[in-house]
Coordinates of all heavy atoms in Angstrom, one line a residue:
M1 N 77.7 94.7 101.0 CA 78.5 95.6 101.8 C 79.5 96.3 100.9 O 80.3 95.7 100.2 CB 79.2 94.8 102.9 CG 80.1 95.7 103.8 SD 80.9 94.7 105.1 CE 81.9 96.0 105.8
T2 N 79.6 97.6 101.1 CA 80.6 98.4 100.3 C 81.5 99.1 101.2 O 81.1 99.5 102.4 CB 79.9 99.4 99.3 OG1 79.1 100.2 100.1 CG2 79.1 98.6 98.3
K3 N 82.7 99.4 100.8 CA 83.6 100.1 101.6 C 84.3 101.2 100.7 O 84.6 100.9 99.5 CB 84.7 99.2 102.1 CG 85.8 99.9 102.9 CD 86.8 98.9 103.4 CE 87.9 99.6 104.2 NZ 88.9 98.6 104.6
T4 N 84.4 102.4 101.2 CA 85.0 103.5 100.4 C 86.4 103.7 100.8 O 86.7 103.9 102.0 CB 84.2 104.8 100.5 OG1 82.9 104.5 100.1 CG2 84.8 105.9 99.7
T5 N 87.3 103.8 99.9 CA 88.7 104.0 100.2 C 89.1 105.3 99.5 O 88.8 105.5 98.3 CB 89.6 102.9 99.6 OG1 89.0 101.6 99.9 CG2 90.9 102.9 100.3
M6 N 89.8 106.1 100.2 CA 90.2 107.4 99.6 C 91.6 107.3 99.0 O 92.5 106.8 99.6 CB 90.3 108.5 100.7 CG 88.9 108.7 101.3 SD 87.6 109.2 100.1 CE 88.1 110.9 99.9
V7 N 91.8 107.7 97.8 CA 93.0 107.6 97.1 C 93.4 109.0 96.6 O 92.6 109.6 95.9 CB 93.0 106.7 95.9 CG1 94.4 106.6 95.2 CG2 92.6 105.3 96.3
K8 N 94.5 109.5 97.0 CA 94.9 110.8 96.7 C 96.0 110.8 95.6 O 97.0 110.0 95.7 CB 95.5 111.6 97.9 CG 95.4 113.1 97.8 CD 95.4 113.7 99.2 CE 95.5 115.2 99.2 NZ 94.4 115.8 98.4
T9 N 95.9 111.7 94.6 CA 96.8 111.7 93.6 C 97.4 113.1 93.4 O 96.9 114.1 94.0 CB 96.2 111.3 92.2 OG1 95.4 112.4 91.8 CG2 95.4 110.0 92.3
Q10 N 98.5 113.2 92.7 CA 99.1 114.5 92.5 C 98.7 115.1 91.1 O 99.2 116.1 90.7 CB 100.6 114.4 92.6 CG 101.1 113.9 93.9 CD 100.8 114.8 95.1 OE1 100.9 116.0 94.9 NE2 100.4 114.3 96.2
T11 N 97.9 114.4 90.4 CA 97.5 114.9 89.1 C 96.5 116.0 89.2 O 95.6 116.0 90.0 CB 96.9 113.7 88.3 OG1 97.7 112.5 88.5 CG2 96.9 114.0 86.8
G12 N 96.6 117.0 88.2 CA 95.7 118.1 88.2 C 94.5 117.9 87.3 O 93.5 118.5 87.4
D13 N 94.7 116.9 86.4 CA 93.6 116.7 85.4 C 93.0 115.3 85.6 O 93.6 114.4 86.3 CB 94.1 116.8 84.0 CG 94.6 118.3 83.7 OD1 93.8 119.2 84.1 OD2 95.7 118.4 83.2
I14 N 91.9 115.0 85.0 CA 91.4 113.7 85.0 C 92.4 112.8 84.3 O 92.7 113.1 83.1 CB 90.0 113.6 84.3 CG1 89.0 114.6 85.0 CG2 89.5 112.2 84.3 CD1 88.8 114.2 86.5
P15 N 92.8 111.7 84.9 CA 93.8 110.9 84.3 C 93.2 110.1 83.1 O 92.0 109.7 83.1 CB 94.2 109.9 85.4 CG 93.0 109.9 86.3 CD 92.4 111.2 86.2
T16 N 94.0 109.9 82.1 CA 93.6 109.1 80.9 C 93.7 107.6 81.2 O 93.1 106.8 80.6 CB 94.3 109.5 79.7 OG1 95.7 109.4 80.0 CG2 94.0 110.9 79.3
D17 N 94.6 107.4 82.2 CA 94.8 105.9 82.5 C 94.1 105.6 83.8 O 94.1 106.4 84.7 CB 96.3 105.6 82.7 CG 96.9 106.5 83.7 OD1 96.6 107.7 83.8 OD2 97.8 106.0 84.5
I18 N 93.4 104.5 83.7 CA 92.6 104.1 84.9 C 93.5 103.2 85.8 O 94.4 102.6 85.3 CB 91.3 103.3 84.5 CG1 91.7 102.1 83.7 CG2 90.4 104.2 83.7 CD1 90.5 101.2 83.4
P19 N 93.2 103.2 87.1 CA 94.0 102.3 88.0 C 93.8 100.9 87.6 O 92.7 100.5 87.2 CB 93.5 102.6 89.4 CG 92.1 103.2 89.1 CD 92.2 103.9 87.8
R20 N 94.9 100.1 87.7 CA 94.8 98.7 87.4 C 95.5 97.9 88.5 O 96.2 98.4 89.3 CB 95.6 98.4 86.1 CG 94.9 99.1 84.9 CD 95.7 98.8 83.6 NE 95.2 99.6 82.5 CZ 94.2 99.1 81.7 NH1 93.7 97.9 82.0 NH2 93.8 99.8 80.7
Q21 N 95.1 96.6 88.6 CA 95.6 95.7 89.5 C 95.5 96.2 91.0 O 96.4 96.1 91.8 CB 97.1 95.4 89.2 CG 97.4 94.9 87.8 CD 96.7 93.5 87.6 OE1 96.5 92.7 88.5 NE2 96.2 93.3 86.4
N22 N 94.3 96.8 91.2 CA 94.0 97.3 92.6 C 93.7 96.1 93.5 O 92.9 95.3 93.1 CB 92.8 98.2 92.5 CG 92.6 99.0 93.8 OD1 93.6 99.3 94.5 ND2 91.4 99.2 94.2
P23 N 94.4 95.9 94.6 CA 94.2 94.8 95.4 C 92.8 94.8 96.1 O 92.3 95.9 96.5 CB 95.3 94.9 96.5 CG 95.7 96.3 96.5 CD 95.5 96.8 95.1
C24 N 92.1 93.7 96.1 CA 90.8 93.6 96.8 C 90.9 94.0 98.2 O 91.9 93.6 99.0 CB 90.3 92.1 96.7 SG 88.9 91.8 97.7
A25 N 90.0 94.8 98.7 CA 90.0 95.3 100.0 C 89.7 94.2 101.1 O 89.9 94.4 102.3 CB 88.9 96.4 100.2
Q26 N 89.2 93.1 100.6 CA 88.9 92.0 101.6 C 90.0 90.9 101.5 O 90.5 90.5 102.6 CB 87.5 91.4 101.3 CG 87.1 90.3 102.2 CD 85.7 90.0 102.1 OE1 84.8 90.5 102.8 NE2 85.3 89.1 101.1
C27 N 90.3 90.4 100.3 CA 91.2 89.2 100.2 C 92.5 89.6 99.6 O 93.5 88.8 99.6 CB 90.5 88.1 99.5 SG 90.4 88.3 97.7
G28 N 92.7 90.8 99.0 CA 94.0 91.2 98.5 C 94.3 90.7 97.1 O 95.4 91.0 96.6
T29 N 93.3 90.1 96.5 CA 93.6 89.6 95.1 C 93.6 90.8 94.2 O 92.7 91.6 94.2 CB 92.5 88.6 94.7 OG1 92.5 87.5 95.5 CG2 92.7 88.2 93.2
P30 N 94.6 91.0 93.3 CA 94.7 92.1 92.4 C 93.5 92.0 91.4 O 93.2 91.0 90.8 CB 96.0 91.9 91.7 CG 96.8 91.0 92.6 CD 95.8 90.1 93.3
I31 N 92.9 93.2 91.2 CA 91.7 93.2 90.3 C 92.2 94.0 89.0 O 92.8 95.1 89.2 CB 90.5 93.9 90.9 CG1 90.1 93.2 92.2 CG2 89.4 93.9 89.9 CD1 89.1 93.9 93.0
A32 N 92.1 93.4 87.9 CA 92.7 94.0 86.7 C 92.2 95.4 86.4 O 93.0 96.3 86.1 CB 92.4 93.1 85.5
R33 N 90.9 95.6 86.5 CA 90.3 96.9 86.1 C 89.0 97.1 86.9 O 88.3 96.2 87.2 CB 90.2 97.1 84.6 CG 89.1 96.2 84.1 CD 89.1 96.2 82.6 NE 90.3 95.7 82.0 CZ 90.4 95.1 80.8 NH1 89.3 95.0 80.1 NH2 91.5 94.7 80.3
P34 N 88.6 98.4 87.1 CA 87.4 98.6 87.8 C 86.2 98.3 86.9 O 86.2 98.4 85.7 CB 87.4 100.1 88.1 CG 88.4 100.7 87.1 CD 89.4 99.6 86.9
D35 N 85.1 97.9 87.6 CA 83.9 97.5 86.9 C 83.2 98.8 86.3 O 82.5 98.8 85.3 CB 82.9 96.8 87.8 CG 83.1 95.3 87.7 OD1 84.1 94.9 87.1 OD2 82.2 94.6 88.2
W36 N 83.3 99.9 87.1 CA 82.6 101.1 86.8 C 83.4 102.3 87.1 O 84.0 102.3 88.2 CB 81.2 101.1 87.6 CG 80.4 102.3 87.3 CD1 80.2 103.4 88.1 CD2 79.5 102.5 86.2 NE1 79.3 104.2 87.5 CE2 78.9 103.7 86.3 CE3 79.2 101.7 85.0 CZ2 78.0 104.2 85.4 CZ3 78.3 102.2 84.1 CH2 77.7 103.4 84.3
I37 N 83.3 103.3 86.3 CA 84.1 104.6 86.5 C 83.1 105.7 86.5 O 82.3 105.8 85.5 CB 85.2 104.8 85.5 CG1 86.1 103.6 85.4 CG2 85.9 106.1 85.8 CD1 87.2 103.7 84.3
E38 N 83.0 106.5 87.5 CA 82.1 107.6 87.6 C 82.8 108.9 87.9 O 83.2 109.2 89.0 CB 81.1 107.3 88.7 CG 80.0 108.4 88.8 CD 78.9 108.0 89.8 OE1 78.4 106.9 89.8 OE2 78.7 108.9 90.7
P39 N 83.1 109.7 86.8 CA 83.7 111.0 87.0 C 82.9 112.0 87.8 O 81.7 112.0 87.6 CB 83.9 111.4 85.5 CG 83.7 110.2 84.7 CD 82.8 109.4 85.4
G40 N 83.5 112.7 88.6 CA 82.8 113.8 89.4 C 83.6 115.1 89.4 O 84.6 115.2 88.7
E41 N 83.2 116.0 90.3 CA 83.8 117.3 90.4 C 85.2 117.1 91.2 O 85.1 117.0 92.4 CB 82.9 118.2 91.1 CG 83.4 119.7 91.1 CD 83.2 120.3 89.7 OE1 82.3 119.9 89.0 OE2 83.9 121.3 89.5
G42 N 86.3 117.1 90.4 CA 87.6 117.0 91.1 C 87.9 115.6 91.6 O 88.8 115.4 92.4
R43 N 87.1 114.6 91.2 CA 87.2 113.3 91.7 C 86.7 112.3 90.7 O 85.8 112.6 89.9 CB 86.6 113.1 93.1 CG 85.2 113.7 93.1 CD 84.4 113.3 94.4 NE 83.7 112.0 94.3 CZ 83.1 111.4 95.3 NH1 83.1 111.9 96.5 NH2 82.5 110.3 95.0
V44 N 87.1 111.1 90.9 CA 86.6 110.0 90.0 C 86.4 108.8 90.9 O 87.2 108.5 91.7 CB 87.5 109.6 88.9 CG1 87.0 108.4 88.1 CG2 87.8 110.8 88.0
S45 N 85.2 108.2 90.8 CA 84.9 107.0 91.6 C 85.1 105.8 90.8 O 84.7 105.7 89.6 CB 83.4 107.1 92.1 OG 83.2 108.3 92.9
Y46 N 85.7 104.8 91.4 CA 85.9 103.5 90.7 C 85.3 102.4 91.5 O 85.5 102.4 92.7 CB 87.4 103.2 90.6 CG 88.2 104.2 89.8 CD1 88.9 105.2 90.5 CD2 88.3 104.2 88.5 CE1 89.7 106.2 89.9 CE2 89.0 105.2 87.8 CZ 89.7 106.2 88.5 OH 90.4 107.1 87.8
L47 N 84.4 101.6 90.9 CA 83.8 100.5 91.5 C 84.5 99.2 91.1 O 84.6 98.9 90.0 CB 82.3 100.5 91.1 CG 81.5 99.3 91.8 CD1 81.4 99.6 93.3 CD2 80.1 99.2 91.3
W48 N 85.0 98.6 92.2 CA 85.8 97.3 91.9 C 85.0 96.1 92.4 O 84.3 96.2 93.4 CB 87.1 97.4 92.7 CG 88.0 98.5 92.3 CD1 87.9 99.8 92.8 CD2 89.1 98.5 91.4 NE1 88.9 100.6 92.3 CE2 89.6 99.8 91.4 CE3 89.6 97.5 90.6 CZ2 90.7 100.1 90.6 CZ3 90.7 97.8 89.8 CH2 91.2 99.1 89.8
T49 N 85.1 95.0 91.7 CA 84.4 93.8 92.1 C 85.5 92.7 92.0 O 86.1 92.5 91.0 CB 83.3 93.4 91.1 OG1 82.3 94.4 91.2 CG2 82.6 92.1 91.6
C50 N 85.7 92.1 93.2 CA 86.7 91.0 93.2 C 86.0 89.7 92.7 O 85.0 89.3 93.2 CB 87.2 90.8 94.7 SG 88.3 89.4 94.9
H51 N 86.7 89.1 91.8 CA 86.1 87.8 91.2 C 86.5 86.6 92.0 O 86.1 85.5 91.8 CB 86.5 87.7 89.8 CG 86.0 88.8 88.9 ND1 84.7 88.9 88.6 CD2 86.6 89.9 88.3 CE1 84.5 90.0 87.8 NE2 85.7 90.6 87.7
A52 N 87.4 86.8 93.0 CA 87.9 85.7 93.8 C 86.9 85.5 95.0 O 86.6 84.4 95.3 CB 89.3 86.0 94.3
C53 N 86.4 86.6 95.6 CA 85.6 86.5 96.7 C 84.2 87.3 96.6 O 83.5 87.4 97.5 CB 86.3 87.0 98.0 SG 86.6 88.7 98.0
N54 N 84.0 87.8 95.4 CA 82.8 88.6 95.1 C 82.6 89.8 96.0 O 81.5 90.3 96.1 CB 81.6 87.7 95.2 CG 81.5 86.7 94.0 OD1 81.9 87.0 92.9 ND2 81.0 85.5 94.3
Y55 N 83.7 90.3 96.5 CA 83.6 91.5 97.3 C 83.6 92.8 96.4 O 84.4 92.9 95.4 CB 84.8 91.6 98.3 CG 84.8 92.7 99.3 CD1 83.9 92.7 100.3 CD2 85.6 93.8 99.1 CE1 83.8 93.7 101.2 CE2 85.6 94.9 100.1 CZ 84.7 94.8 101.1 OH 84.6 95.8 102.0
R56 N 82.7 93.7 96.7 CA 82.6 94.9 95.9 C 83.0 96.1 96.8 O 82.5 96.2 97.9 CB 81.2 95.1 95.3 CG 80.7 93.9 94.6 CD 79.4 94.2 94.0 NE 79.4 95.1 92.8 CZ 78.4 95.6 92.3 NH1 77.2 95.5 92.8 NH2 78.5 96.4 91.2
F57 N 83.8 97.0 96.3 CA 84.1 98.2 97.0 C 84.4 99.4 96.0 O 84.6 99.2 94.8 CB 85.3 98.0 97.9 CG 86.6 97.6 97.2 CD1 87.6 98.6 96.9 CD2 86.8 96.3 96.7 CE1 88.7 98.2 96.2 CE2 88.0 96.0 96.1 CZ 88.9 96.9 95.8
E58 N 84.3 100.6 96.6 CA 84.5 101.8 95.8 C 85.8 102.5 96.2 O 86.1 102.6 97.4 CB 83.3 102.7 96.0 CG 83.4 104.0 95.2 CD 82.2 104.9 95.5 OE1 81.5 104.7 96.5 OE2 82.0 105.9 94.8
A59 N 86.5 102.9 95.2 CA 87.7 103.7 95.5 C 87.5 105.1 94.8 O 87.1 105.2 93.7 CB 89.0 103.0 94.9
V60 N 87.8 106.2 95.6 CA 87.6 107.5 95.0 C 89.0 108.2 94.9 O 89.8 108.2 95.8 CB 86.7 108.3 96.0 CG1 86.6 109.7 95.4 CG2 85.4 107.7 96.2
A61 N 89.3 108.6 93.7 CA 90.5 109.4 93.4 C 90.2 110.9 93.4 O 89.3 111.3 92.8 CB 91.1 109.0 92.1
I62 N 91.0 111.6 94.3 CA 90.8 113.0 94.4 C 91.9 113.7 93.6 O 93.1 113.4 93.8 CB 90.9 113.5 95.9 CG1 89.9 112.7 96.7 CG2 90.6 115.0 96.0 CD1 88.4 112.9 96.4
F63 N 91.5 114.7 92.8 CA 92.5 115.4 92.0 C 92.7 116.8 92.5 O 91.7 117.6 92.6 CB 92.0 115.4 90.6 CG 91.8 114.0 90.0 CD1 90.5 113.6 89.8 CD2 92.8 113.2 89.8 CE1 90.2 112.3 89.4 CE2 92.6 111.9 89.4 CZ 91.3 111.5 89.1
D64 N 93.9 117.1 92.9 CA 94.2 118.5 93.4 C 94.1 119.5 92.3 O 94.8 119.4 91.3 CB 95.6 118.5 94.1 CG 95.6 117.7 95.3 OD1 94.6 117.6 96.0 OD2 96.7 117.1 95.6
Q65 N 93.3 120.5 92.5 CA 93.2 121.6 91.6 C 94.2 122.7 92.0 O 94.6 123.5 91.2 CB 91.8 122.2 91.6 CG 90.7 121.2 91.2 CD 90.9 120.7 89.8 OE1 91.3 121.4 88.9 NE2 90.6 119.4 89.6
M66 N 94.6 122.7 93.2 CA 95.6 123.7 93.7 C 96.8 123.0 94.2 O 96.9 122.6 95.3 CB 94.9 124.5 94.9 CG 93.6 125.1 94.6 SD 93.7 126.5 93.4 CE 94.4 127.8 94.4
P67 N 97.9 122.9 93.3 CA 99.1 122.2 93.7 C 99.9 122.9 94.8 O 100.8 122.3 95.3 CB 99.8 122.1 92.4 CG 99.3 123.2 91.5 CD 97.9 123.4 92.0
I68 N 99.6 124.2 95.1 CA 100.4 124.9 96.1 C 99.6 125.0 97.4 O 99.9 125.8 98.2 CB 100.7 126.4 95.6 CG1 101.0 126.4 94.1 CG2 101.9 126.9 96.3 CD1 101.3 127.7 93.5
A69 N 98.7 124.1 97.6 CA 97.9 124.1 98.8 C 98.7 123.8 100.0 O 98.5 124.3 101.1 CB 96.8 123.0 98.7
H70 N 99.7 122.9 99.8 CA 100.6 122.6 101.0 C 102.1 122.9 100.6 O 102.8 122.0 100.2 CB 100.4 121.1 101.4 CG 99.0 120.8 101.8 ND1 98.5 121.2 103.0 CD2 98.1 120.2 101.1 CE1 97.2 120.8 103.0 NE2 96.9 120.2 101.9
P71 N 102.5 124.1 100.7 CA 103.9 124.5 100.3 C 104.9 123.9 101.2 O 104.6 123.7 102.4 CB 103.9 126.0 100.4 CG 102.8 126.3 101.4 CD 101.8 125.3 101.2
P72 N 106.0 123.5 100.7 CA 107.1 122.9 101.6 C 107.5 123.9 102.6 O 107.6 125.1 102.4 CB 108.2 122.5 100.6 CG 108.0 123.4 99.4 CD 106.5 123.6 99.4
L73 N 107.9 123.4 103.8 CA 108.4 124.3 104.9 C 109.8 124.9 104.5 O 110.7 124.1 104.1 CB 108.5 123.5 106.2 CG 107.1 123.1 106.8 CD1 107.3 122.2 108.0 CD2 106.2 124.3 107.1
A74 N 109.9 126.2 104.7 CA 111.2 126.8 104.4 C 111.9 127.1 105.7 O 111.3 127.6 106.7 CB 111.0 128.1 103.6
A75 N 113.2 126.8 105.8 CA 114.0 127.1 107.0 C 114.3 128.5 107.1 O 114.5 129.2 106.1 CB 115.3 126.2 107.0
Ligands
ZN101 ZN1 88.5 89.5 97.1

């Protein structure tokens, strides 16, 4: 069973640092690093495997190419 979690970042480029200590989606145990990293168009998929409960899940990081997509409201 896999579960996809959406993670949104403010970074415009593919990050050089990968997420670490991501809590397991099932038991909450921090996972040091993803098992698999799959770069895509404006996004990167991370496959995590929890060694405490053997739960596997995917986290997708979306990278904003347009930082002015949501301008702040002006009074
Ligand atoms: Zn777990």
Side-chain angles (χ1 to χ4, degrees):
M1 177 180 175
T2 57
K3 179 182 178 182
T4 299
T5 319
M6 301 300 286
V7 180
K8 202 159 176 54
T9 73
Q10 300 297 322
T11 317
D13 296 315
I14 302 297
T16 53
D17 58 323
I18 61 175
R20 295 174 186 276
Q21 302 299 327
N22 191 35
C24 171
Q26 180 168 266
C27 74
T29 299
I31 305 172
R33 66 186 65 153
D35 267 13
W36 181 259
I37 303 175
E38 185 176 307
E41 189 76 22
R43 46 170 270 174
V44 177
S45 300
Y46 302 96
L47 182 64
W48 301 83
T49 300
C50 177
H51 297 288
C53 69
N54 287 326
Y55 185 73
R56 305 182 75 193
F57 62 99
E58 181 185 11
V60 180
I62 307 294
F63 305 107
D64 290 329
Q65 301 296 326
M66 306 291 285
I68 322 177
H70 301 285
L73 294 176

